[in-house]
Amino acid sequence: MKKNGSSKKETFKSFFLPLIVLVVICAVIGSAMAAINLITAPKIEETQAKKKQEALSAVVPDNQGFEKLSISNLPERVTEVYADKGSASLALMLSVKGYDSSKPMSVAVGFDENGEIIKISVISCSGETQGIGSKVSGEEFLTQFLGKSDASAVDTVSGATISSGAFIDGINDACRVVKEYRATEVTK
């Protein structure tokens, strides 16, 4: 009988004790991560809001502040539309899936009262291949869009056709949103 009792203790020590220790370690680490998230989440949110505000101000210079517009049925790539409170300029936020669709490019586009692109600001393109797909954030590529009301005559970046093609599609979506908004604004 002693053998049977010591066998149960050995089974507990060899199987259940490590399992219990592992569960306790996971619970402690999970709790620590949740606590860290509670502490850092507001700061991360504040930083992202600041980056967005800076991007909006960059694409519509001399703005008087922005009002977020509620527009239904936006294309997938257009995430938000803002109107400048002091002019008829618009700023649109885009999320464009390029080469690495798990890390979409974050882009701000400014339009003047005529629906022409004032400026484009690439906030992030970390999912794009450095030196190839990341060229979509370069001045040479971005300046092709300035003063245009659509991106049909814009050339893709050689070697980065997926990234630049998706970027151009996103800009075209933004142009369509602006045209439709201006059309409904006129009929009001």
Side-chain angles (χ1 to χ4, degrees):
M1 215 153 176
K2 286 185 179 181
K3 275 189 168 181
N4 192 15
S6 73
S7 175
K8 286 183 180 180
K9 282 185 179 179
E10 285 181 28
T11 301
F12 179 78
K13 282 184 177 179
S14 67
F15 181 74
F16 291 110
L17 189 59
L19 184 63
I20 292 169
V21 169
L22 185 61
V23 168
V24 169
I25 289 171
C26 289
V28 169
I29 290 173
S31 298
M33 289 176 66
I36 289 169
N37 185 49
L38 284 173
I39 294 167
T40 59
K43 185 66 176 169
I44 292 169
E45 194 174 299
E46 179 184 317
T47 301
Q48 288 173 337
K50 185 178 177 184
K51 273 186 168 182
K52 184 193 305 183
Q53 191 60 42
E54 289 171 355
L56 292 173
S57 293
V59 297
V60 181
D62 303 323
N63 66 76
Q64 303 298 312
F66 292 97
E67 174 185 347
K68 186 174 180 180
L69 301 177
S70 178
I71 299 176
S72 59
N73 300 322
L74 289 173
E76 181 182 343
R77 295 179 192 101
V78 179
T79 58
E80 297 171 311
V81 180
Y82 293 88
D84 177 13
K85 292 179 182 176
S87 73
S89 296
L90 296 172
L92 283 73
M93 297 298 296
L94 308 178
S95 179
V96 179
K97 294 178 181 176
Y99 184 73
D100 181 355
S101 62
S102 69
K103 295 180 183 175
M105 294 176 268
S106 182
V107 181
V109 186
F111 291 87
D112 65 14
E113 62 278 351
N114 299 317
E116 295 178 349
I117 297 172
I118 303 169
K119 186 165 181 169
I120 299 173
S121 176
V122 178
I123 301 164
S124 73
C125 64
S126 61
E128 304 310 307
T129 306
Q130 281 298 89
I132 301 172
S134 62
K135 288 181 181 178
V136 298
S137 63
E139 284 300 310
E140 186 177 334
F141 179 68
L142 296 178
T143 55
Q144 296 181 83
F145 296 94
L146 303 183
K148 296 184 177 172
S149 57
D150 67 52
S152 59
V154 173
D155 294 327
T156 59
V157 175
S158 178
T161 53
I162 294 172
S163 301
S164 57
F167 193 96
I168 291 167
D169 290 344
I171 299 298
N172 275 325
D173 284 351
C175 292
R176 277 192 295 281
V177 168
V178 170
K179 284 177 187 166
E180 289 170 10
Y181 176 75
R182 296 283 187 228
T184 59
E185 196 177 50
V186 170
T187 59
K188 286 183 181 179

